[in-house]
Amino acid sequence: MNKLNILIVGVGGQGTLLASRVIGNVALRKNYDVKVSEVHGMSQRGGSVVAYVKMGQKVCSPLVEKGEADVILAFEQLEALRWLEHLKHGGKIIINEQKINPMPVIIGKAKYPDGIIDRIKENYDNVVSANALQIARECGNIKAVNLVLLGILANSISIEKELWLDTIKKTVLQEFLEVNIKAFEAGYSIR
């Protein structure tokens, strides 16, 4: 692999930062040059959280600019829509079907847009959507959404599954390991 630019977008509390750490650790174990940058914003109040992961032979900047993302890993539909301009031509977007109302929607100043995933699929060829929240629930913990999405991502890039699993075992707290491995495996089976 020459380089891979991944943009992870979601809402505070969804596990985007853990996901970026797992991806970064996997890349380090493959001996890639890796840069990870996280923007927390108002994450503790349900605001946007963005993480950039760049890996390859030589990585100079940690940021993924507009049109540079090989993959967007979107933990929430509206966040997928907000960050689409960062996806490069031919890039892949993985979207959790979950909707989390932002503050303007909660207070009645805005309406959550309808048909986000359908609109994205109409305009982009390489889109995978999954109800990662439901899958995580079925695995035993709704907080494992991030591992479901990591499983989908892992199945779409050329890094062996065993390395992902071993890295998850070294990164996730032992008490949550079983459900997280189950969630990763469930995501990995999605194409």
Side-chain angles (χ1 to χ4, degrees):
M1 171 178 25
N2 188 28
K3 70 176 178 117
L4 182 65
N5 297 329
I6 302 170
L7 182 63
I8 304 167
V9 297
V11 173
Q14 287 191 290
T16 55
L17 303 181
L18 176 62
S20 70
R21 279 193 294 278
V22 171
I23 297 167
N25 287 337
V26 165
L28 283 173
R29 294 181 71 195
K30 287 292 285 184
N31 293 315
Y32 293 131
D33 187 12
V34 183
K35 302 284 187 285
V36 177
S37 178
E38 302 163 346
V39 180
H40 302 265
M42 294 291 288
S43 61
Q44 297 209 344
R45 300 187 191 270
S48 293
V49 177
V50 180
Y52 306 92
V53 181
K54 293 178 83 171
M55 65 179 87
Q57 300 307 315
K58 179 71 177 148
V59 177
C60 297
S61 166
L63 300 181
V64 177
E65 302 293 338
K66 291 179 183 177
E68 287 186 348
D70 296 293
V71 180
I72 294 179
L73 191 59
F75 282 52
E76 195 274 338
Q77 289 186 37
L78 190 55
E79 293 301 317
L81 187 62
R82 285 182 182 156
W83 291 91
L84 264 179
E85 62 190 358
H86 283 72
L87 190 65
K88 76 184 218 179
H89 181 72
K92 179 175 198 153
I93 182 163
I94 300 166
I95 308 170
N96 178 15
E97 295 169 0
Q98 184 176 2
K99 295 179 182 179
I100 299 175
N101 290 334
M103 192 54 67
V105 173
I106 292 170
I107 63 172
K109 298 285 184 190
K111 182 181 177 295
Y112 196 100
D114 292 325
I116 291 173
I117 293 175
D118 289 337
R119 286 192 301 182
I120 292 172
K121 286 182 175 180
E122 286 172 9
N123 294 295
Y124 294 86
D125 294 327
N126 202 352
V127 180
V128 175
S129 65
N131 188 339
L133 180 62
Q134 181 59 35
I135 295 167
R137 182 178 286 117
E138 291 167 2
C139 290
N141 189 333
I142 61 170
K143 295 211 177 250
V145 164
N146 55 355
L147 272 292
V148 173
L149 294 171
L150 275 178
I152 297 169
L153 172 73
N155 195 12
S156 66
I157 59 178
S158 59
I159 297 176
E160 56 276 2
K161 180 181 176 184
E162 294 71 28
L163 182 59
W164 286 95
L165 289 168
D166 190 54
T167 303
I168 291 165
K169 289 173 185 172
K170 291 179 168 141
T171 308
V172 172
L173 293 174
Q174 187 65 35
E175 63 191 283
F176 303 114
L177 187 56
E178 184 179 339
V179 71
N180 279 287
I181 293 293
K182 191 174 179 182
F184 176 85
E185 293 281 6
Y188 197 87
S189 70
I190 295 171
R191 304 213 183 262

